Amino acid sequence: AYAYAKQGAGPLRPGVDHVEGTVKAVVGPVYDRYHAVPLDLLKFLDRKVDESVQELDRRVPPVVKEVPTYARSAAAEVQKTGIMGTATGLAKSAIARAEPKARDLYTRYEPVAERKAAEAWAALNRLPLVPSVTRAVLPTAAQLSAKYNSAVLDGAKRGNSVATYLPLVPTERIARVFANPAADTAPATAPEMQPIPTQ
């Protein structure tokens, strides 16, 4: 029956031959060594191995037992839809599970983060060189942020799936938060700079 099934394996025949060769290479030396051992001893060893496997099965957590099932399921999904389809599906399901919690955290902590950023900006802006460096760098940063936002929006409109997950830089919000720091912080004006005395 095995020979008949092997002949009818069709395109799977090279794989069957490879597995058969591997099994013969591994099992052959074991068979050669133990074929003369009394059958009662082999039955005893088989019983002991069976008891050990059952004890191990009893002690292994159920989650570990489910891993092969998940692996087979993932392999079947990859075979059915291809690697990109599977990766996209897994990413979408992960996002669907994480999004509600992330949205909740975002809505709770965003106002706090904005207030702390405004307070830090007000404190940083009191240092002597920060306002002048900011005035020099700000136009370039605003222009690059606008270009990035435009590129992300264009990519999403063209159907680029990666672009749909990229965040936009909230330039208006940043400008509003840092232009009007929190009321409980010190004013954002820098102290008057004094010239360095020459000797």
Side-chain angles (χ1 to χ4, degrees):
Y2 174 73
Y4 180 73
K6 187 174 162 184
Q7 289 297 326
L12 299 176
R13 176 143 182 161
V16 171
D17 289 339
H18 178 71
V19 170
E20 183 180 19
T22 304
V23 169
K24 283 182 181 177
V26 171
V27 175
V30 174
Y31 175 77
D32 290 342
R33 173 170 249 176
Y34 293 107
H35 76 279
V37 174
L39 192 57
D40 292 337
L41 178 62
L42 291 177
K43 285 182 182 178
F44 172 77
L45 290 174
D46 183 52
R47 234 184 352 263
K48 289 299 180 186
V49 168
D50 190 41
E51 289 171 8
S52 300
V53 168
Q54 287 177 356
E55 180 66 22
L56 185 66
D57 188 46
R58 193 173 60 81
R59 293 179 184 252
V60 170
V63 173
V64 175
K65 293 177 187 175
E66 294 173 8
V67 169
T69 305
Y70 290 132
R72 278 192 292 276
S73 171
E77 183 70 22
V78 167
Q79 187 177 17
K80 187 172 96 181
T81 62
I83 191 73
M84 288 304 293
T86 302
T88 302
L90 292 174
K92 285 181 180 178
S93 70
I95 288 170
R97 279 183 274 156
E99 188 174 17
K101 185 69 174 169
R103 190 176 307 279
D104 178 49
L105 289 172
Y106 178 78
T107 55
R108 276 196 292 166
Y109 292 111
E110 182 200 20
V112 175
E114 272 187 22
R115 189 176 75 248
K116 293 297 182 186
E119 290 171 5
W121 176 248
L124 188 63
N125 213 13
R126 283 187 245 126
L127 296 174
L129 293 176
V130 171
S132 58
V133 170
T134 302
R135 281 191 295 274
V137 172
L138 192 61
T140 305
Q143 183 182 17
L144 290 175
S145 297
K147 280 186 178 183
Y148 167 81
N149 285 348
S150 175
V152 169
L153 289 173
D154 289 344
K157 284 179 187 173
R158 281 189 260 125
N160 185 331
S161 59
V162 173
T164 59
Y165 293 105
L166 292 175
L168 296 176
V169 177
T171 53
E172 295 82 18
R173 176 180 274 168
I174 291 171
R176 178 178 45 83
V177 168
F178 293 122
N180 302 318
D184 57 339
T185 61
T189 58
E192 193 65 34
M193 293 184 58
Q194 302 295 322
I196 298 174
T198 57
Q199 293 180 351

